[in-house]
Amino acid sequence: MSAITLLGPAEIRALAQRAGIRPTKTLGQNFVLDGGTVRKIVRQAGVEAGERVVEIGPGLGSLTLGLLEAGADVVAVEIDPVLARLLPGTVQAHVPGLTLDASAATAEVPTVVLRDDAGRARLTIVTQDALTVTELPGPAPTALVANLPYNVSVPVLLTFLERFDSLERGLVMVQAEVADRLAAPPGSRTYGVPSAKVAWYAAARRTATVGRAVFWPAPHVDSALVRLDRREPPAATVSRQEVFAVVDAAFAQRRKMLRSALAGVAGSSAAAETAVRAAGLDPQVRGEQVDVVGFARIAEALHAARPATPGPGTVAP
């Protein structure tokens, strides 16, 4: 099979011009111009040939082609129908031997599939808002690799980690400030809700800074790469939703101590203090000093302190 070629700056701008595309802030669109950056993302993601990878926001296809070059099979989720319609032709022009599978057009969600000569689905394009995706066609993906739109990067990442437990790892490019928050440890200035919630699913670390010049249009801030490796969530007798409710409350007013910050979810400051102590923590600490395991223990203590609900057929005293 002939070599796969990546998009260059001139071709990216020409593609956008021919299609009448102007990158919009609303959709957080900043297209990657530099092939070296694309290959760095793919390399740091540890993508293997034959692996099923989900890409969110493929845009004009820069990263998509890099993933295909590494031998991955890609399912790309694109919210913009204009970009979604443009992507198959771009990929076919750069990846010889791919043909359109007409049968995929019957799917309920607009879907396009490109197959190689052996019938393998190399690229599946799903035209849908990533935040509304609950299932993906084909085999379950084992990796998430994406240049995430700045305006929805954290919600999209958390949504996919929650809904697709087949994901073993991820490599995402996000705004540098967001990268710091995702990878921040407890006790650091940037530790907060995103840090604690991502830690429920995965170990996160910032791996590289990406300058503004590799994007079109150039953003006003630097970007960074964050690597995520899936791990088991903390052992807890309560649901993830209950733990996340405690996380949200703890950081709603960062300057408050836990006994005050959690008064709303506990019912009172006294009840919050009792729960925090039961979790083995000091009620005078603030949320940024507590790791996700600590939040899980607090959620368990709060749950245990709630009055039991009478079951069916029982009479409450």
Side-chain angles (χ1 to χ4, degrees), residues 9 63 87 97 104 224 236 279 300 317:
L63 181 54
L87 189 56
E300 287 179 319

Side-chain angles (χ1 to χ4, degrees), residues 109-127:
V109 175
T111 304
V112 173
V113 177
L114 296 180
R115 298 186 182 276
D116 63 13
D117 295 337
R120 178 174 142 203
R122 296 299 317 283
L123 175 64
T124 303
I125 304 164
V126 178
T127 307

